[in-house]
Amino acid sequence: MGDMDRIRWQCRRGLLEMDLILQRFLAEDFDSLNTDERVLFKELLGEVDTVLLAWVMGQEAAPKRYDALIQRLQRR
Amino acid sequence: MGISTRQFDAVVVGAGGSGLRAALQLAEANLRVAVLSKVFPTRSHTVAAQGGVSASLGNEEPDNWHWHMYDTVKGSDYLGDQDAIEFMCRKANEAVIELEHYGMPFDRLDNGKIYQRPFGGHTSNYGERAVKRACAAADRTGHAMLHTLYQRNVRANTQFFVEWMALDLIRNQAGDVLGVVAMEMETGEVCVMHAKATLLATGGAGRIYAASTNAFINTGDGLGMAARAGIALEDMEFWQFHPTGVAGAGVLITEGVRGEGGFLLNKNGERFMERYAPTVKDLASRDVVSRAMATEIKEGRGAGKDADHILLKLDHLGADVIDKRLPGIREIAIKFANVDPAKDPIPVVPTCHYQMGGIPTNMNGQVLAGHNGGAIVKGLYAAGECACVSVHGANRLGTNSLLDLLVFGKASGEQVVKDLASEALSHQDLPKDAADRSLARLARLDSAQSGEDVAEVGAEMRRTMQLHCGVFRFPDSLAEGVRKMQEVGKRAQQLYFKDKSKVFNTARVEALELENLVEVAMSTMVSANARQESRGAHDRSDFPDRNDAQWMKHTFWYKENNRLEYRPVNLKPLTVESFEPKARVY
Ligand SMILES: Cc1cc2nc3c(=O)[nH]c(=O)nc-3n(C[C@H](O)[C@H](O)[C@H](O)COP(=O)(O)OP(=O)(O)OC[C@H]3O[C@@H](n4cnc5c(N)ncnc54)[C@H](O)[C@@H]3O)c2cc1C
C-alpha cells in the first residue's frame, strides 16, 4: 500500500483549509474511489493549494476532468 | 554505521519564501546547493500569505524607510533590535523590486508602478495616519512569491530534495555545524547531508496551540533541531494571536469582515468592543481585540454551550454586500463553521497565527552561539519565521513577515557566499557519531512495542498551551502549565506507533514532528512563566504593564535543564537615532 501512504502524506498542504478538507476526504471518501479516480486524485494533489481551495469553494472553475472529484471534496 | 553521505557546498532546510530566497543567492553564485523540503516547495506555508509584503516605495503617497522603521520598532513594543529593523526597512524597496524583476505579478497602478494598500500598524510621519505600504499580488501574494522564487531556483540549478525531512544538525567537538541528518520519506532511508554551510528555513511552529491558523506542516522542526543541538531559542514567549479564527477549526476569517462593518458579540448579544476600545471598537489592533475576547470568555460571557467562543456578526450587511465585498467568506464559514453568515454569526476565538521568536541570529543570518556577545555557531545560518533576528520583537506588524523572508533570506545567502569564498568554511571531517542521535531516535521509535499515542500526546500538548499560555497569562496557571508540559515532555519520549513500515510512514513522521513541537512548546511555557511584565503579545494578569527597566531584554531558553538567560535589546540603529520606548498606543 505504498501508494496510499504517499497520498496520505501529500494531503499535507500549505493551507490549513486544504489540510482539513483533505483529511475528511481521506477518512470518508478515498476508499471508495476506483482506480481511475485515484490516478486523477493524485494528479489533483499536484495543484497549488490556493487554486485548489478556489475550486472547492466554487470561486473558480476547475478543469472538466476534475468535476466529479471537486464535487466530492465540496461535500467535505 | 553504513549510511550514505552526500556532499554539497550548502544545505538549505526549507523551501518556503526564506529558504528559496537564500538558495537563489547561493545557486546564482554557482555553489552546489541542496534544498530539503517536507513538501513540494510551492506547497510550503508561505502560500497562505494573502495580505502582502511591506515596502516604503511611496508609489501611492509619500513614504520612507524611517517611518516604516518607526512603525516596526513601535509594533515590536520596543523588543525588536533597532539595528536589524533599520537594515530590513532600508532594504525593503530593493527586495520588492528585485522580486518584481524576477517576474512577480504584483498588482499595478495605472502608471505601471506597484499598487500599494494600507495595513494595520503602518503609518506615515511617525504614527500620524495610515499609509499605503503593502504590495500584493491579488489575494495570492505568498503563492506568487513562492512560484516566482521556485522558477528562478530551477533556472539557477538549485537541487531540490522534495519529501525529505531533516532530523538533526551535525555538530563536531568544536561546536561547528557540518550539515544535517535527513530522511527520505519515500524509502525511510537516512542520509548524511555533509555541507560547508547549513541554513535553517523551516518556518513557524504554530501547531503547538489547539487553536491555530497554521497548516499541519508547521511543526517547528528547525527549532527542535537547534534545541537538541544545544542552541538557544530566543523570545519564545511571543506568539501573535489573530482575533478571528473559526472556533474549533482555526481557519482565518479576514480582518476585512470587521472593516466592512461586521462586529463581535458576547453571549448576551453585547457589542463588547465598545467597552474596550470606545473609538475604533472592533477595528482596534489584533492584540487589543484578542485580549478583549479572551476577557469576555474568561469572565463567563462566551457564547455556545461551553461559553467558549465569541460571535462575529455580519448578517446585518446583507447577503449582497457580503458576496460582493467579502468574496469567499460565506463559503469558508459554511464549510468550516457550519453557519451561513448571511443568516447567523460565525463562532470565533483568538487563534495562534505567528511566531515572533526563534533561532537567534545576527543581521547576516549567522546563528548566535549564546546569549553573550556576538559569537556565532560556525557553519549554521537561519532565516524566516524559524529565526529571530529580531525584527518583530514582541509583536509583528502584518506584511513584515514576507519582507523578513526576502531581506534576511538574501542576507544570509550572501553571508554564506562570502564565508565560502573566504574559505572560512570547508568540508570538515564528519564525526564518527554524526548520525547517531537521529538513528537512536528512529531505532527507539521503530522498536517500541508499546507506549504513548502520538495523537493523544499532541492533543494534550495543544490543550495545555491553549489553556495555560494563551492570549492572557495568569501566574498560577503558567506555573501549572510548566508542570504539565514537563509531563507531556516525558510522555513524548515514549511515543509509539503500530505501523513500522519504511515507505512514506506518516505515523513515523508525525512522531518526529511531535518531538520538535514539544521542544517549542516547552520553551514557550518556560519563557512565558519567567517574564514578569506584559509586552506585545505576552500579557500577564499579575504584571499588566511593560517594564522597560527590568525586561527590555531578549529571553534565551536552553533545552538543558530549561535554563533561561537574557540578552539586552539593541536600541542602537545603524545610522539613525534610537527610537526611545514610549507607551504603545494607536
Ligand atoms: C493564514 C496566514 C496568512 C499570512 N499572511 C501574511 C501576509 O499577508 N503577509 C506577511 O508578511 N506574512 C503573512 N503570514 C506569515 C507568513 O506567511 C509566514 O511567516 C512565512 O510565510 C513563513 O515563511 P518561511 O519561509 O519562514 O517558512 P514556510 O513557508 O513555512 O516554509 C517552511 C519550509 O520548511 C520545510 N521544512 C520544515 N521542516 C522541515 C524538515 N524537518 N525537513 C525538511 N524541510 C522542512 C517545509 O517543507 C517548507 O518548505 C501569514 C501567515 C498565515 C498563517
Side-chain angles (χ1 to χ4, degrees):
Chain A
M1 266 319 264
D3 212 32
M4 181 59 208
D5 294 325
R6 178 195 298 269
I7 286 171
R8 197 186 304 281
W9 178 254
Q10 290 180 347
C11 287
R12 287 279 215 106
R13 312 299 298 190
L15 282 184
L16 176 62
E17 288 86 338
M18 286 314 303
D19 272 341
L20 296 170
I21 291 167
L22 288 169
Q23 293 313 311
R24 294 181 204 163
F25 183 84
L26 270 187
E28 311 283 331
D29 302 69
F30 185 79
D31 287 346
S32 65
L33 298 186
N34 65 35
T35 317
D36 288 348
E37 289 168 329
R38 284 184 191 212
V39 172
L40 202 60
F41 182 62
K42 276 204 293 200
E43 189 187 330
L44 186 75
L45 291 179
E47 305 285 349
V48 183
D49 291 293
T50 33
V51 173
L52 267 178
L53 185 63
W55 291 347
V56 176
M57 291 296 157
Q59 291 155 339
E60 283 171 30
K64 269 264 165 284
R65 64 181 187 286
Y66 290 141
D67 276 357
L69 268 177
I70 296 287
Q71 274 168 23
R72 294 181 76 160
L73 284 169
Q74 282 170 341
R75 274 181 259 129
R76 293 296 155 211
Chain B
M1 283 300 305
I3 67 171
S4 64
T5 300
R6 295 173 203 235
Q7 266 196 354
F8 302 92
D9 291 322
V11 167
V12 177
V13 185
S18 57
L20 290 178
R21 185 63 195 82
L24 185 58
Q25 209 62 24
L26 302 171
E28 288 188 340
N30 290 320
L31 297 172
R32 291 207 317 126
V33 191
V35 175
L36 273 58
S37 180
K38 291 198 287 190
V39 297
F40 193 78
T42 51
R43 244 171 265 158
S44 300
H45 194 52
T46 296
V47 81
Q50 302 188 331
V53 49
S54 55
S56 58
L57 295 169
N59 285 352
E60 302 253 1
E61 52 189 340
D63 196 9
N64 64 62
W65 65 261
H66 298 268
W67 298 345
H68 188 186
M69 177 179 175
Y70 169 80
D71 293 336
T72 306
V73 171
K74 176 179 170 185
S76 81
D77 217 353
Y78 301 91
L79 195 75
D81 286 327
Q82 296 195 16
D83 51 346
I85 295 176
E86 178 182 337
F87 182 83
M88 179 176 83
C89 296
R90 285 177 70 165
K91 293 268 184 188
N93 292 3
E94 177 193 314
V96 164
I97 288 167
E98 202 167 57
L99 202 60
E100 183 187 23
H101 290 164
Y102 292 164
M104 170 100 170
F106 281 115
D107 295 347
R108 289 179 190 283
L109 294 164
D110 289 340
N111 65 12
K113 290 185 175 168
I114 295 174
Y115 162 86
Q116 297 188 280
R117 59 183 178 210
F119 220 88
H122 291 283
T123 70
S124 67
N125 208 15
Y126 309 105
E128 232 170 63
R129 58 186 179 80
V131 74
K132 296 175 179 168
R133 189 177 286 150
C135 313
D139 60 353
R140 291 187 181 167
T141 310
H143 166 142
M145 185 181 282
L146 280 178
H147 274 261
T148 306
L149 290 172
Y150 177 65
Q151 294 303 339
R152 202 74 197 181
N153 268 286
V154 169
R155 248 174 57 183
N157 287 324
T158 300
Q159 197 176 340
F160 285 96
F161 289 77
V162 175
E163 294 173 341
W164 279 66
M165 182 181 188
L167 304 177
D168 281 294
L169 292 171
I170 301 171
R171 289 187 93 176
N172 65 9
Q173 280 282 306
D176 301 348
V177 169
L178 311 185
V180 297
V181 180
M183 180 176 79
E184 180 175 19
M185 294 186 187
E186 183 169 9
T187 58
E189 189 206 334
V190 175
C191 171
V192 166
M193 305 296 236
H194 187 196
K196 299 175 189 170
T198 303
L199 195 151
L200 296 174
T202 51
R207 301 300 305 177
I208 63 170
Y209 284 96
S212 173
T213 65
N214 286 196
F216 294 175
I217 36 175
N218 276 19
T219 55
D221 295 356
L223 285 83
M225 291 164 68
R228 280 190 297 276
I231 292 161
L233 300 181
E234 181 178 354
D235 292 342
M236 292 306 296
E237 60 271 47
F238 298 101
W239 292 82
Q240 184 170 75
F241 284 77
H242 194 291
T244 53
V246 171
V251 170
L252 196 108
I253 302 290
T254 160
E255 255 127 9
V257 168
R258 280 169 288 136
E260 292 295 340
F263 51 78
L264 297 163
L265 298 175
N266 62 18
K267 75 164 181 198
N268 304 323
E270 182 203 2
R271 194 175 168 185
F272 59 87
M273 281 312 299
E274 291 176 340
R275 271 188 280 121
Y276 296 87
T279 37
V280 284
K281 301 181 187 125
D282 298 83
L283 295 177
S285 68
R286 282 182 187 171
D287 54 340
V288 174
V289 178
S290 290
R291 221 158 25 236
M293 292 167 70
T295 307
E296 291 298 301
I297 294 170
K298 177 90 186 155
E299 292 178 356
R301 292 187 293 276
K305 72 174 183 355
D306 296 322
D308 59 357
H309 60 259
I310 294 295
L311 299 170
L312 175 59
K313 175 178 157 65
L314 57 158
D315 59 285
H316 55 284
L317 302 178
D320 290 349
V321 173
I322 297 175
D323 290 342
K324 197 156 136 253
R325 307 289 273 283
L326 298 164
I329 288 298
R330 265 178 97 174
E331 291 84 350
I332 289 281
I334 290 168
K335 188 149 209 84
F336 298 104
N338 257 322
V339 299
D340 179 354
K343 301 197 192 93
D344 296 299
I346 309 173
V348 290
V349 289
T351 301
C352 170
H353 189 49
Y354 183 83
Q355 161 195 313
M356 267 78 72
I359 302 161
T361 71
N362 62 23
M363 284 184 291
N364 304 316
Q366 295 168 299
V367 172
L368 299 180
H371 52 284
N372 276 324
I376 54 161
V377 179
K378 209 169 137 189
L380 186 63
Y381 306 75
E385 194 168 333
C386 75
C388 182
V389 185
S390 131
V391 286
H392 308 300
N395 174 57
R396 170 193 71 122
L397 287 192
T399 70
N400 263 358
S401 171
L402 291 185
L403 177 62
D404 168 2
L405 310 184
L406 293 175
V407 170
F408 294 105
K410 179 175 179 183
S412 55
E414 279 177 334
Q415 184 65 38
V416 172
V417 172
K418 215 188 290 174
D419 290 346
L420 289 177
S422 72
E423 300 192 353
L425 299 176
S426 59
H427 276 123
Q428 298 193 60
D429 289 343
L430 287 167
K432 289 236 164 346
D433 61 355
D436 284 9
R437 188 214 313 269
S438 305
L439 292 174
R441 279 167 66 207
L442 287 171
R444 202 209 60 73
L445 287 173
D446 287 343
S447 63
Q449 291 305 313
S450 65
E452 296 282 354
D453 181 73
V454 176
E456 262 175 40
V457 177
E460 180 59 22
M461 170 196 68
R462 282 186 274 277
R463 263 198 306 274
T464 303
M465 293 308 294
Q466 196 75 30
L467 193 63
H468 296 276
C469 207
V471 170
F472 251 150
R473 295 162 182 189
F474 304 87
D476 299 347
S477 173
L478 277 168
E480 169 81 13
V482 172
R483 274 192 300 277
K484 282 199 193 166
M485 267 313 301
Q486 262 149 359
E487 277 306 304
V488 169
K490 280 197 203 112
R491 293 177 66 189
Q493 286 168 13
Q494 306 298 326
L495 296 179
Y496 159 79
F497 47 84
K498 202 158 140 209
D499 169 16
K500 309 286 189 189
S501 71
K502 295 279 184 217
V503 178
F504 273 110
N505 188 339
T506 307
R508 179 190 284 113
V509 171
E510 285 173 353
L512 293 164
E513 288 178 329
L514 181 59
E515 292 180 350
N516 293 323
L517 282 167
V518 167
E519 303 294 355
V520 177
M522 182 71 91
S523 68
T524 297
M525 190 70 89
V526 170
S527 302
N529 186 38
R531 183 174 284 270
Q532 298 189 331
E533 65 159 353
S534 291
R535 181 186 297 272
H538 175 66
D539 216 300
R540 295 253 321 212
S541 67
D542 48 344
F543 298 97
D545 298 316
R546 199 175 77 199
N547 179 347
D548 291 332
Q550 280 172 42
W551 287 100
M552 207 135 87
K553 54 188 182 185
H554 298 292
T555 306
F556 275 59
W557 171 86
Y558 295 86
K559 173 175 162 63
E560 198 175 14
N561 302 323
N562 278 314
R563 182 164 65 100
L564 292 176
E565 302 284 354
Y566 295 90
R567 173 188 178 91
V569 172
N570 188 349
L571 294 173
K572 210 174 152 335
L574 300 170
T575 64
V576 293
E577 299 239 322
S578 177
F579 289 106
E580 297 295 330
K582 286 192 284 193
R584 192 166 70 95
V585 282
Y586 286 102

